[in-house]
Amino acid sequence: MRGMVGVVTRGTTGPNRLRRMDRWIATALEAELRRADHPVVVDLGYGAAPWTAVELLSRLQAVREDVQVVGVEIDPARVAAAKPYERDNLSFIHGGFEVPLPGTLPSGSRPVLIRAANVLRQYDESEVAAVWTRLRGRLAPGGLLVEGTCDEIGRRHVWVALGPEGPRSVTFATRLGSLDRPSDLAERLPKALIHRNVPGEPVHAFLTAFDRAWASAAPLSALGARQRWIRAVTSLRADGWPVVDGPARWRQGEVTVAWPALAPRG
């Protein structure tokens, strides 16, 4: 359709799939949500069912009750299927990476959050930078673009957080009981990084160092995977990796690293 930017993707989704990302967003975006005049967030490419948008609203309302979630899908049939789930502060519209066409957001505002989960996975790596630039340009000042990939039931997830100025960080999140070693998360790297997990690239060096720290922390396994993860991340930070979060996040099976340390070479 004229004006729509993007292509229809597979649209697979499921309840509670994005819980780890949502939990992180609610913390990272708390201050901005509280100060925004019109706290509007966009769930871009929510898929064949509206569950992720419904859940995002519920989780962010714990931060700001009047937050408004807009689900955006390029497939009009998916928008029609989602319409019965609309209610106060939750709507669904037809659109793509233009996010969205002028005049379609409540109050004419710009979003404080654009979440694009499992969307760019199906695009070429060469297309990512242009999409990031387009979406960042739609953010409100102080807003956040969160783009990443997870498995089908949300056990393993990796995402990039970007502000209007560009990429800021990469977060790795997992259900620790399902993890054999940290590099298992490589299969869920977002499109900008997944083909860069090769020797000579920073993300490969990071995951190699993480596996090494995980192996060194094996004696803590008797105390549980959580304590082993915390020790491994502590070792990474001590070795100079720019870990930007702290133990409160690590205990939840997360670690966030500054983007420049993992950015693709060239």
Side-chain angles (χ1 to χ4, degrees), residues 46 50 53-54 69-72 79 82-83 85-86 90-94:
Y46 57 84
V54 172
V69 172
V70 181
V72 178
V79 179
K83 284 292 184 180
Y85 295 87
E86 289 190 330
L90 178 64
S91 59
F92 298 93
I93 64 174
H94 185 207

Side-chain angles (χ1 to χ4, degrees), residues 40-45 56 68-72 99-100 105 111-116:
V40 177
V41 307
V42 170
D43 187 14
L44 176 62
L56 183 61
Q68 295 176 285
V69 172
V70 181
V72 178
V99 180
L105 284 185
V112 297
L113 168 72
I114 299 173
R115 183 184 67 181

Side-chain angles (χ1 to χ4, degrees), residues 13 31 40 45 58 74 91 101 123 126 131 144 153 266:
T13 189
V40 177
S58 175
I74 200 168
S91 59
L101 293 172
Y123 286 75
S126 62
V131 172
L144 202 63
I153 59 175

Side-chain angles (χ1 to χ4, degrees), residues 173-243:
T174 187
R175 183 169 70 84
L176 291 171
S178 72
L179 194 71
D180 181 36
R181 56 185 180 177
S183 61
D184 291 346
L185 287 160
E187 65 184 19
R188 297 301 163 184
L189 288 167
K191 179 60 74 169
L193 294 174
I194 193 166
H195 299 303
R196 303 301 183 125
N197 186 30
V198 294
E201 287 283 349
V203 71
H204 182 270
F206 172 75
L207 289 171
T208 299
F210 206 168
D211 279 353
R212 186 163 53 245
W214 179 256
S216 295
L220 274 75
S221 298
L223 301 177
R226 178 178 297 174
Q227 294 304 315
R228 185 179 182 183
W229 177 271
I230 291 171
R231 174 64 63 82
V233 175
T234 301
S235 296
L236 286 173
R237 174 178 278 176
D239 288 343
W241 289 99
V243 174

Side-chain angles (χ1 to χ4, degrees), residues 32-40 64 66 68 107 109-110 112 140:
E32 189 58 38
L33 280 173
R34 293 191 185 281
R35 73 168 63 99
D37 292 333
H38 302 290
V40 177
R64 174 103 181 236
D66 63 339
Q68 295 176 285
S107 307
S109 54
R110 303 174 92 182
V112 297

